[in-house]
Amino acid sequence: MRRLRIPLLRNSKATSYTISAMIITATTITLVLVASIYAYQVLEQQRGATEFAVAKESILAFNDALENIAWKQGAVRSSRFTIEYGYLQLIPNGTQYGNTVIINATVDGGTETLYILDNSNSTGFIKYYLSNKYVTFGQGYTSYILGSNSTLVVGSTGSYGRAVVEQKVQQAGWVTITLDYRVRAMRTSVINVTGTLVNYVDIWVIKLVTRDTSPWSYVHDFDLKARCLQVQTTPYGPYTVTQNSTTITVKVGNLTSWDPLPLEPGMVVFNVIVAEVQVSV
């Protein structure tokens, strides 16, 4: 006896196998796409984080180059930067964007102003920006990779440069590295002049200048150059000293620091030495 074939049932099975295969294929493609997108995002995040680490090293290298030429008029040095995920910004001097600088010395209770850079004659600085989707430290984070929050360095040791990593509340979405410069103060000598001891105190200032009058941003590969345009010395004094120290107060931007300097009773002369350094690409 022959069995009755049912074409519809056989066709239904074939259709079921086809639909299952299509579903499996579509699911596989979706999973591959999701995995690829996730892997790409992870890779981009790693690349951004790597750039941030390299940017820190480049900024430190640039600071070394700048401090090396700061007191040699006409000297030039540079540091290489490679930036793809963030950007480097040069904040110009002489505008509302730069840092003001005020240096005072307190001698025998009186205050002498030795140096002023106001809003119309400020000093520039350098700032690197990176989105916090690549690195994040939490709002309000601050960490110094060079120097400290002090605006004053007393003595012959310690860097002029001050580099700080920040994630400010008012700059939501960004992590920044800022490089600016502190003031150095030190007593260099004490000389007996016709029976009077004269203290000589040097105040060293690095003033950054740029070619632009508004902040300018840079990306990709470039050399950041530092050129010493001039070094000028201005003496102040002599002032009578009856106490054993003078207090130097330095304000840079919104931060103020002060420290005592030991002196011999007699007289004191302050020499303010300013290096004007041009930063450009």
Side-chain angles (χ1 to χ4, degrees), residues 174-196:
W174 297 100
V175 177
T176 62
I177 307 173
T178 304
L179 174 66
D180 62 5
Y181 285 87
R182 305 184 289 178
V183 172
R184 184 186 304 280
M186 59 181 177
R187 186 181 68 175
T188 56
S189 62
V190 180
I191 300 176
N192 191 320
V193 180
T194 62
T196 300

Side-chain angles (χ1 to χ4, degrees), residues 45-63:
Q45 187 173 14
Q46 290 176 343
R47 287 176 175 172
T50 299
E51 178 181 294
F52 185 78
V54 173
K56 288 195 293 185
E57 296 301 320
S58 297
I59 285 175
L60 294 178
F62 176 75
N63 173 74

Side-chain angles (χ1 to χ4, degrees), residues 1-5:
M1 179 183 293
R2 294 182 179 179
R3 292 184 178 179
L4 181 63
R5 295 183 180 180

Side-chain angles (χ1 to χ4, degrees), residues 127 137 141-143 164-168 174-178:
K127 201 159 192 171
F137 301 100
Y141 176 87
T142 299
S143 177
V164 57
V165 177
E166 295 176 295
Q167 189 169 346
K168 293 183 177 180
W174 297 100
V175 177
T176 62
I177 307 173
T178 304

Side-chain angles (χ1 to χ4, degrees), residues 95-159:
T95 68
Q96 71 271 24
Y97 303 106
N99 281 336
T100 57
V101 180
I102 301 175
I103 304 174
N104 292 323
T106 302
V107 183
D108 279 9
T111 300
E112 303 293 338
T113 299
L114 305 179
Y115 187 71
I116 293 181
L117 287 178
D118 56 19
N119 285 329
S120 63
N121 189 28
S122 58
T123 179
F125 57 91
I126 299 161
K127 201 159 192 171
Y128 168 78
Y129 290 82
L130 183 68
S131 170
N132 63 6
K133 72 178 182 180
Y134 299 114
V135 293
T136 184
F137 301 100
Q139 297 298 322
Y141 176 87
T142 299
S143 177
Y144 285 85
I145 60 174
L146 179 66
S148 67
N149 64 347
S150 176
T151 59
L152 174 63
V153 180
V154 174
S156 59
T157 60
S159 172

